[in-house]
Amino acid sequence: MRKEERSSVTVTSHRRSKARDLIASASVPQFCNSPTVIVMVGLPARGKTYISKKLTRYLNWIGVPTKVFNVGQYRREAVKTYKNFEFFKPDNEEAMSIRKACASAALKDVAAYFTKEHGQVAVFDATNTTRERRAVINSFAKERGYKVFFVESICDDPEIITENIKQVKFGSPDYIDRDIEEAMSDFVQRIECYKASYTSIDDEKDRKLSYIKIFDVGSRYLVNRVQDHIQSRIVYYLMNIHVTPRSIYLSRHGESKLNLLGRIGGDSGLSPRGLKYADALATFIRGQNIKDLKVWTSHMKRTIQTAEALRVQYEQWKALNEIDAGVCEELTYEEIQENFPEEFAMRDQEKYRYRYPKGESYEDLVHRLEPVIMELERQENVLVICHQAIMRCLLAYFLDKPADELPYLRCPLHTVLKLTPVAYGCKVESFFLNIEAVNTHRERPTNVSISRKSEEALQTVPDHN
């Protein structure tokens, strides 16, 4: 009996010793909130940079600090003048050495971003077409306790590829002052150089990796081993975006009766000028000849009245309701300063995160509007008739504006903003429809101290009745 006990103890201590050795040689442990490296994979002209920038914009908008590291940019800094596709040949040893050094420099910057800037997600934007390169990135992440999520874009549709080449490469620094045909020919040969060594993520060999494969810009998806909340949000987002040409029209409601009085919030109807704007908006929209336009409003009277003039079906979203000002609803800025001077100052100090007592903050609005953004990404042409704070949040998403700028974006009454997604951003056109309206924009005053005088607090309040 004792022999058996000794034997058991020996085995146990041997196991513990082995476990200690394993732990000693293991990498930094991963925690639930460990930073994530998103690794793009795919041939050139497959929309990797488009996905990288769009995903980064979304994650920053929802409050996850994210940055893109484009290895092509590192290569352009290392090699000032791009000659031709031969730089990308697998047997070009000198160029291969430069490319590896650029990838290493980018990874070093990723580590610095996580440690020094407290970033949460880094998007490593490169082709990463070989198993060897992906293994290097995996090892780099494992040593530091980072999570890795691969996003592979696979596209064999010649029309999509040709369109991608046209849209992106004619704006690329590699092809400045190059003839269009020459640029196209060179870039096609560059793709062929990558094809020679391209190995897609293998669903059997790489089954332990976390990844999403996107086929033909979203016609089909394959998702494997999603590790956490952030990765599930990334998958959710990537499965909703598309590249079909379209425009999104943003407009506030027509001027309301409470706007005239300088009172915030409430649920009043339109002023006489607001009703004129509703008619002008209907004329403008008809003149745009928009195919299959969808119209969205909030549940509030002033947006519904504005939409009624269009004489088309519209959809009401509670998520599009104006920011809830809580105890400050239907007060003027002067009344807020008089009754709640400390609250008024605190809002000026950090407008994005400040929450009205019994009300909402801009940060709350962003979370409330996430389903709206997802649906806008799925749709084609949409007119959103909304409110000042709501329009600021939507605009910040499409124009990639930081949180501190978001609450001060100018969204005047009786003006339509037409947003058209382009290669790596959004084209904005502004149309004032020639119906005068009150100004509701209040800039941040110079003095935001709680002890400031009333006249300093009211320095930037717009005129009203």
Side-chain angles (χ1 to χ4, degrees):
M1 184 71 177
R2 280 178 183 170
K3 280 183 182 176
E4 285 176 2
E5 282 173 338
R6 281 196 198 104
S7 171
S8 174
V9 169
T10 307
V11 169
T12 304
S13 83
H14 173 69
R15 282 179 184 151
R16 281 179 186 152
S17 170
K18 197 172 180 182
R20 273 197 299 272
D21 291 344
L22 282 169
I23 289 165
S25 64
S27 52
V28 175
Q30 276 185 5
F31 297 102
C32 288
N33 62 349
S34 292
T36 298
V37 183
I38 298 171
V39 182
M40 302 305 301
V41 177
L43 294 168
R46 265 58 179 182
K48 294 184 304 301
T49 299
Y50 171 82
I51 291 168
S52 298
K53 293 199 173 197
K54 205 164 169 92
L55 186 55
T56 299
R57 177 158 57 86
Y58 163 70
L59 290 171
N60 279 319
W61 185 75
I62 63 170
V64 179
T66 306
K67 189 174 179 180
V68 176
F69 295 83
N70 182 285
V71 179
Q73 197 54 44
Y74 285 78
R75 186 257 305 163
R76 288 182 194 105
E77 286 168 17
V79 182
K80 300 296 181 187
T81 308
Y82 172 75
K83 291 179 182 176
N84 58 37
F85 70 92
E86 291 188 359
F87 182 87
F88 296 96
K89 281 188 169 181
D91 58 358
N92 186 335
E93 290 181 14
E94 184 188 352
M96 189 62 78
S97 174
I98 293 169
R99 288 162 63 193
K100 281 182 180 176
C102 290
S104 296
L107 287 174
K108 191 177 176 184
D109 286 349
V110 165
Y113 173 63
F114 288 150
T115 53
K116 294 176 184 174
E117 297 180 50
H118 307 293
Q120 192 58 35
V121 176
V123 183
F124 193 73
D125 181 18
T127 52
N128 302 313
T129 47
T130 65
R131 295 180 66 81
E132 291 76 19
R133 170 61 60 82
R134 297 195 290 269
V136 166
I137 299 166
N138 237 343
S139 297
F140 159 85
K142 197 174 180 184
E143 284 164 16
R144 292 160 181 80
Y146 307 153
K147 296 176 184 177
V148 177
F149 188 73
F150 292 93
V151 177
E152 182 171 14
S153 180
I154 299 167
C155 183
D156 299 314
D157 186 321
E159 284 185 21
I160 295 172
I161 295 166
T162 303
E163 191 55 39
N164 281 352
I165 293 170
K166 280 181 189 172
Q167 275 202 17
V168 179
K169 296 306 159 188
F170 295 158
S172 166
D174 290 342
Y175 296 106
I176 288 171
D177 301 327
R178 292 278 188 99
D179 173 75
I180 289 175
E181 292 302 319
E182 182 194 339
M184 282 282 282
S185 172
D186 183 84
F187 196 72
V188 167
Q189 287 174 288
R190 188 197 290 197
I191 294 170
E192 290 303 315
C193 291
Y194 278 101
K195 275 186 181 176
S197 58
Y198 176 30
T199 306
S200 179
I201 293 172
D202 190 287
D203 300 335
E204 192 54 44
K205 291 178 186 171
D206 298 318
R207 64 183 180 276
K208 289 186 179 179
L209 299 180
S210 298
Y211 62 84
I212 179 172
K213 287 186 179 185
I214 304 168
F215 297 89
D216 291 328
V217 203
S219 62
R220 189 165 68 88
Y221 305 88
L222 194 153
V223 181
N224 190 68
R225 287 179 70 92
V226 172
Q227 288 175 290
D228 59 17
H229 174 67
I230 287 287
Q231 291 182 13
S232 67
R233 294 285 279 270
I234 290 164
V235 168
Y236 174 46
Y237 180 72
L238 292 177
M239 290 178 73
N240 278 284
I241 62 175
H242 66 82
V243 292
T244 309
R246 45 70 177 269
S247 290
I248 292 160
Y249 297 80
L250 300 180
S251 170
R252 288 175 66 187
H253 52 79
E255 179 187 73
S256 74
K257 291 169 185 174
L258 286 180
N259 286 149
L260 284 173
L261 302 171
R263 297 190 177 278
I264 65 172
D267 193 18
S268 67
L270 298 182
S271 71
R273 291 192 302 197
L275 290 167
K276 280 185 182 176
Y277 173 72
D279 290 333
L281 177 63
T283 303
F284 170 80
I285 291 296
R286 279 195 293 273
Q288 290 282 299
N289 295 316
I290 308 160
K291 185 187 173 190
D292 300 327
L293 179 70
K294 292 190 175 178
V295 180
W296 297 353
T297 74
S298 72
H299 279 204
M300 295 182 150
K301 284 178 196 171
R302 51 197 187 274
T303 62
I304 292 167
Q305 271 187 283
T306 306
E308 284 288 343
L310 295 167
R311 302 189 188 283
V312 296
Q313 278 194 323
Y314 56 88
E315 189 176 341
Q316 295 176 35
W317 286 70
K318 194 174 181 182
L320 289 172
N321 283 2
E322 180 58 305
I323 190 169
D324 184 349
V327 298
C328 297
E329 277 286 312
E330 297 195 31
L331 297 184
T332 64
Y333 287 126
E334 292 86 349
E335 288 168 348
I336 297 171
Q337 169 59 23
E338 186 182 341
N339 296 302
F340 310 103
E342 287 191 8
E343 294 292 337
F344 201 41
M346 286 193 293
R347 188 164 197 260
D348 284 339
Q349 286 167 13
E350 197 174 7
K351 194 174 176 183
Y352 180 76
R353 289 189 172 82
Y354 169 84
R355 181 180 287 127
Y356 283 107
K358 299 184 180 178
E360 291 177 299
S361 67
Y362 272 93
E363 191 171 30
D364 294 331
L365 283 195
V366 164
H367 294 298
R368 164 148 65 92
L369 285 167
E370 193 181 356
V372 176
I373 286 295
M374 286 297 173
E375 203 51 47
L376 277 174
E377 286 291 3
R378 291 176 64 84
Q379 299 295 330
E380 293 183 15
N381 299 309
V382 183
L383 165 63
V384 184
I385 302 172
C386 55
H387 307 265
Q388 182 167 252
I390 297 294
M391 192 162 163
R392 282 170 172 161
C393 292
L394 297 177
L395 207 52
Y397 168 76
F398 285 106
L399 302 187
D400 198 16
K401 297 294 182 183
D404 59 337
E405 285 182 35
L406 183 155
Y408 297 101
L409 294 176
R410 286 191 174 271
C411 298
L413 287 165
H414 299 180
T415 301
V416 181
L417 294 184
K418 179 182 179 182
L419 309 179
T420 307
V422 290
Y424 294 151
C426 210
K427 178 184 166 190
V428 186
E429 297 169 85
S430 179
F431 302 91
F432 172 60
L433 300 193
N434 293 315
I435 310 289
E436 290 302 317
V438 292
N439 174 25
T440 61
H441 185 86
R442 177 176 174 265
E443 287 288 358
R444 187 175 192 258
T446 311
N447 188 348
V448 296
S449 167
I450 288 172
S451 59
R452 65 188 175 180
K453 295 175 183 175
S454 279
E455 53 267 30
E456 291 175 306
L458 301 172
Q459 177 190 17
T460 58
V461 171
D463 294 335
H464 58 83
N465 294 346

